[in-house]
Amino acid sequence: MNSRVILRHQTRYQYDRPVFLGRQTVRLCPVPRVRSAIRDYAFEVSPETAEMTWRQDAYGNRVAEIRVPERVTGFDVSVRMDVDLGVRPVLSGIAEAPVCTTYRDVDAAGAQVSRFVESWRMAGAEKTSEAVADLNRAVAEHLTYQRRLEPGVWTPEETLQRQSGSCRDSAWLLVTVLRHLGFSARFVSGYLIQSDPADGWNCDLHAWAEAWIPGDGWVGFDTTSGLVVAQHHIPLAVAGRPEEAAPISGMLDRCRATFDVTMRAEPLLSGREAPELAMIGQPGVMRSHEAL
């Protein structure tokens, strides 16, 4: 079976009146370590007058900064990429080790978090992938998955009290527990591409946690499934806190805004070439050789 998939993701915002957009920060470009799995990549924004600059943020993510000079009634962001799911991304190298101190900051623990941390104190002392995998499964079993469309992330204390949460809530809980246990840990947002018996593939924005394991580097743990992250997870941003890994963030004038998201993954049939994803030089478009 061919492992190559064409992923298409569009986010469309509509405003009830013409508004000025502040700087919009978009984190929808795969992180460097998955480069080998990305055959082609295209990123497009609308309106065409939008000014786009690519940069690296403090965590090493590829971030697009968007500025729109005039008032607008809509703002669109589109991503298309050719992903080879048969390529396993290489774990981050030792070069990342010095920045681990960025991922050790911990918030004060409430009663629920404190009890959870203490119950794993002995296992956490091992600092192994196996110990974190056991903890990850425990988080997944303790919580009931809840799909939440409203913005924001619950505090770890609230997630434990509710015994439920979205992928971002449970991921932030695991990051917090790991830091209290002495691990360096970070929050990750990205795509999860899964096989679907009816449609072949489906794709969603997803969140998970990564822990720094001595000798292994950064290892991802999916708190929704309780499994270790694999090549079907495409990380787009890593950060110390969830809000720093938001796919799209920015300010705008006061207004009533609605948004619509469409996302799909289609298999690239064997023997066919990937379709041209974007024309180089087209306004508002960045191709793979520039973005990656």
Side-chain angles (χ1 to χ4, degrees):
M1 179 179 177
N2 187 13
S3 60
R4 288 174 65 182
V5 170
I6 302 298
L7 182 153
R8 304 175 189 272
H9 173 205
Q10 182 176 50
T11 304
R12 174 166 293 174
Y13 296 89
Q14 293 292 322
Y15 312 117
D16 66 341
R17 62 183 182 83
V19 297
F20 277 120
L21 292 178
R23 182 182 63 184
Q24 303 297 303
T25 301
V26 183
R27 305 174 184 88
L28 290 174
C29 187
V31 301
R33 69 177 180 274
V34 299
R35 181 181 301 179
S36 60
I38 309 301
R39 298 293 189 91
D40 202 359
Y41 175 89
F43 175 88
E44 185 175 359
V45 297
S46 178
E48 291 188 352
T49 54
E51 301 168 357
M52 178 166 53
T53 303
W54 286 91
R55 66 174 180 84
Q56 276 199 333
D57 66 11
Y59 300 106
N61 303 309
R62 302 185 188 93
V63 174
E65 300 284 6
I66 312 298
R67 298 178 186 273
V68 182
E70 75 281 354
R71 293 182 186 270
V72 294
T73 57
F75 176 60
D76 297 349
V77 177
S78 297
V79 171
R80 288 164 289 173
M81 66 177 79
D82 174 1
V83 185
D84 189 343
L85 298 176
V87 176
R88 179 177 291 274
V90 178
L91 291 175
S92 300
I94 299 302
E96 284 202 66
V99 305
C100 286
T101 53
T102 307
Y103 304 109
R104 287 182 174 271
D105 293 339
V106 294
D107 298 331
Q112 297 271 1
V113 172
S114 294
R115 282 194 292 270
F116 200 93
V117 169
E118 287 307 315
S119 67
W120 285 89
R121 184 70 67 184
M122 293 297 294
E126 299 176 26
K127 296 292 188 296
T128 63
S129 294
E130 291 75 17
V132 180
D134 289 341
L135 172 58
N136 183 52
R137 282 192 294 270
V139 169
E141 292 169 0
H142 187 80
L143 304 177
T144 299
Y145 174 72
Q146 177 180 344
R147 187 176 179 85
R148 295 200 302 112
L149 298 180
E150 66 270 20
V153 177
W154 289 344
T155 66
E157 190 74 9
E158 184 175 5
T159 299
L160 284 176
Q161 288 173 347
R162 292 174 179 265
Q163 296 187 17
S164 67
S166 66
C167 58
R168 60 190 186 275
D169 301 319
S170 59
W172 182 232
L173 169 62
L174 179 58
V175 168
T176 300
V177 171
L178 285 168
R179 291 180 184 177
H180 278 284
L181 291 172
F183 286 87
S184 291
R186 62 191 185 184
F187 184 91
V188 187
S189 68
Y191 294 119
L192 175 59
I193 304 173
Q194 297 176 294
S195 59
D196 186 304
D199 301 324
W201 297 99
N202 61 45
C203 178
D204 286 296
L205 282 172
H206 196 49
W208 58 94
E210 286 185 346
W212 178 266
I213 309 296
D216 292 335
W218 289 108
V219 181
F221 299 89
D222 190 326
T223 50
T224 301
S225 64
L227 302 175
V228 176
V229 165
Q231 58 264 47
H232 286 220
H233 294 74
I234 310 297
L236 300 172
V238 300
R241 302 188 68 86
E243 60 270 20
E244 297 176 296
I248 303 176
S249 60
M251 303 294 291
L252 73 160
D253 289 343
R254 186 181 297 275
C255 67
R256 294 183 62 181
T258 59
F259 76 98
D260 179 66
V261 177
T262 58
M263 198 176 307
R264 67 182 185 273
E266 303 167 347
L268 181 63
L269 300 179
S270 180
R272 293 187 180 180
E273 289 299 317
E276 184 70 16
L277 296 183
M279 293 298 292
I280 297 174
Q282 182 179 344
V285 172
M286 188 68 72
R287 282 295 305 277
S288 58
H289 72 286
E290 298 169 280
L292 297 181

